[in-house]
Amino acid sequence: MSDGTIDDAATAFAPPMLGEPYLLTPGPLTTAAAVKQAMLRDWGSWDGDFRALTAELRRRLLALIDDRDGAFDCVPMQGSGTACVEAMLGTLVPREGKVLVLANGAYGLRAAQILRYLGRAHTLIDKGDYLPPRGEEVAAALDADPAITHVLVIHCETSSGILNPVQEISEAVYARGRKLLVDSMSAFGAVPADVNALRYEALVSSANKCIEGVPGFGFVIARKSELEAAQRNCHSLSLDLHDQWKVMEKTGQWRFTPPTHVVAAFIEALHLHEAEGGVAGRGARYANNRNVLVAGMRAAGFETLLAERWLSPIIVTFFCPADPNFSFPRFYDLMKAKGFLIYPGKLTAVESFRVGCIGHFDAHVMRAVVEAACRSLEEMGVASAAPAPHVLGERARLVA
Ligand SMILES: *Cc1c(COP(=O)(O)O)cnc(C)c1O
């Protein structure tokens, strides 16, 4: 719900329906009315009309990586994003393979946890919360361990908002004859993943992030030769990407009940994505959202976790104010009362909160968010938004 501070007439983005708050979260997120309306019809999963939706979905997603040679295919998979990461790792990494996981936050650590469950050999570079893995250290790790076959990188590590340098990592990986897998969950659709510019074997994303659909499935975009070679790798019937691909190629259908309404909504979201100018247009709006948010919050005295050069256009982490009157649960409730759902922090060491820049809204909403944050601090009796000096000292020490 707009709280009156947003000039709705000045934005092409209608506010959420029925008094819903804006979801300033990394998915599920605020979707367009047309996306929600697309779910008001039932589809037979076997029927040709639904098969046509599935074919359109795959074709449109592949167009986003500009696969001119037709070397890649897109395999949608039922479930959460994590299920699709598990499908990608379980299917594309051979049982005798070994994965180097590049972690700098919760999602990298989760990928390692998945490999533990799968019983796949793996090793970890853990950079903590503030810093990206760099090409040189990936190169050194690969040189030191010839058993490593695959490297997994998180494109945007959503737990901090850091945009990892996938290009230099890809170069290091392929210079050593290994293969790159990308968790592009929160980046795909807004950050380029053009296969002519960035080399990888597969990436994974889901319906409810930058394409701005509703949750219910994800998709893996993979080199066909990798999908072909992956027969009988997978530990799980439901998550077997190879089998899902083969059946989809043959019948045009998902193997098991697809989330029909979610797929219909996603097609509408893909149309809106195209109308906005595709990856470049979507990325530009999110970057503008981020710029307005960060400038406004800094002017109000808040500090971002990350140094400027690693800030993504997806989500921004702010340190909690040190003022003893500040309480995150109370701040959350005050923001919600003003029409904005923010996101708790996900850092191991310090208190923080996150504000998403992705979803169906523009910078008008970000200005209203800053305004709402300032008023919420006033209501709590917080005089300064500044974090504790030791937090900033720690950050300076780590990023030096
Ligand atoms: C959202 C996200 C996931 C998957 O999350 P689910 O809650 O399982 O949908 C995985 N990796 C990253 C980087 C994400 O942002």
Side-chain angles (χ1 to χ4, degrees):
M1 183 180 66
S2 133
D3 68 345
T5 56
I6 301 167
D7 180 3
D8 291 329
T11 164
F13 291 81
M17 306 196 295
L18 307 169
E20 297 165 38
Y22 280 98
L23 303 186
L24 304 171
T25 54
L29 38 62
T30 294
T31 58
V35 169
K36 290 180 259 247
Q37 272 150 12
M39 292 186 283
L40 296 177
R41 124 156 218 203
D42 302 316
W43 300 81
S45 64
W46 189 88
D47 186 69
D49 292 346
F50 184 72
R51 276 185 268 178
L53 289 190
T54 299
E56 181 178 356
L57 176 157
R58 297 174 69 199
R59 181 173 51 73
R60 283 182 173 273
L61 287 174
L62 277 173
L64 298 186
I65 64 162
D66 194 19
D67 171 33
R68 293 168 210 162
D69 308 333
F72 283 75
D73 212 340
C74 172
V75 190
M77 183 62 100
Q78 300 93 329
S80 71
T82 303
C84 296
V85 174
E86 199 157 338
M88 176 176 80
L89 292 172
T91 308
L92 299 185
V93 178
R95 299 208 176 193
E96 64 284 2
K98 179 172 183 180
V99 184
L100 170 62
V101 176
L102 308 179
N104 53 342
Y107 291 103
L109 296 176
R110 189 182 295 174
Q113 190 183 15
I114 289 171
L115 290 163
R116 223 160 25 246
Y117 267 76
L118 298 184
R120 291 287 198 288
H122 60 282
T123 177
L124 193 67
I125 294 180
D126 186 356
K127 300 288 294 189
D129 293 328
Y130 298 76
L131 292 172
R134 301 305 303 259
E136 296 146 41
E137 56 198 325
V138 173
L142 293 177
D143 288 341
D145 187 350
I148 295 168
T149 55
H150 293 71
V151 176
L152 178 88
V153 65
I154 312 292
H155 203 167
C156 170
E157 177 45 82
T158 323
S159 50
S160 64
I162 198 164
L163 192 59
N164 282 322
V166 288
Q167 185 69 47
E168 67 180 40
I169 290 167
S170 170
E171 283 162 19
V173 168
Y174 285 98
R176 281 153 191 82
R178 319 300 171 85
K179 293 175 171 176
L180 185 65
L181 305 174
V182 186
D183 173 351
S184 189
M185 202 70 63
S186 64
F188 186 79
V191 180
D194 183 329
V195 284
N196 307 294
L198 176 70
R199 188 163 173 197
Y200 54 87
E201 302 307 308
L203 67 74
V204 57
S205 184
S206 75
N208 58 281
K209 305 253 179 169
C210 298
I211 307 290
E212 300 185 357
V214 302
F217 73 92
F219 48 89
V220 176
I221 293 180
R223 214 175 276 282
K224 285 177 192 164
S225 54
E226 292 296 298
L227 285 167
E228 198 62 72
Q231 192 174 11
R232 283 189 290 277
N233 278 351
C234 196
H235 62 293
S236 155
L237 172 67
S238 307
L239 297 178
D240 189 343
L241 210 59
H242 172 88
D243 200 43
Q244 178 94 330
W245 177 58
K246 281 287 169 189
V247 170
M248 218 170 248
E249 284 294 279
K250 194 161 161 217
T251 66
Q253 293 177 45
W254 305 50
R255 285 175 306 165
F256 313 123
T257 302
T260 47
H261 301 75
V262 177
V263 170
F266 192 70
I267 295 287
E268 181 59 32
L270 281 166
H271 284 268
L272 295 176
H273 184 267
E274 181 180 30
E276 191 174 358
V279 176
R282 183 68 42 103
R285 172 161 61 87
Y286 290 169
N288 191 40
N289 283 353
R290 186 264 325 270
N291 293 345
V292 168
L293 172 74
V294 167
M297 293 292 273
R298 281 184 179 154
F302 286 96
E303 292 273 354
T304 59
L305 167 81
L306 297 173
E308 203 66 30
R309 62 186 292 216
W310 303 120
L311 284 178
S312 69
I314 308 301
I315 190 167
V316 181
T317 301
F318 296 96
F319 290 119
C320 286
D323 190 308
N325 286 339
F326 183 87
S327 130
F328 178 75
R330 178 126 162 79
F331 185 59
Y332 180 90
D333 289 342
L334 290 168
M335 291 295 284
K336 182 174 177 181
K338 294 171 182 57
F340 303 109
L341 294 195
I342 60 171
Y343 220 49
K346 207 171 192 171
L347 301 181
T348 37
V350 296
E351 269 220 279
S352 63
F353 64 92
R354 291 177 289 169
V355 181
C357 308
I358 64 178
H360 188 69
F361 51 78
D362 65 9
H364 288 84
V365 170
M366 293 325 231
R367 278 188 270 277
V369 170
V370 173
E371 176 65 31
C374 293
R375 280 200 284 135
S376 299
L377 291 189
E378 268 166 44
E379 286 160 37
M380 284 189 286
V382 172
S384 161
H390 73 84
V391 168
L392 294 180
E394 173 77 354
R395 181 184 64 177
R397 191 179 66 74
L398 282 168
V399 301

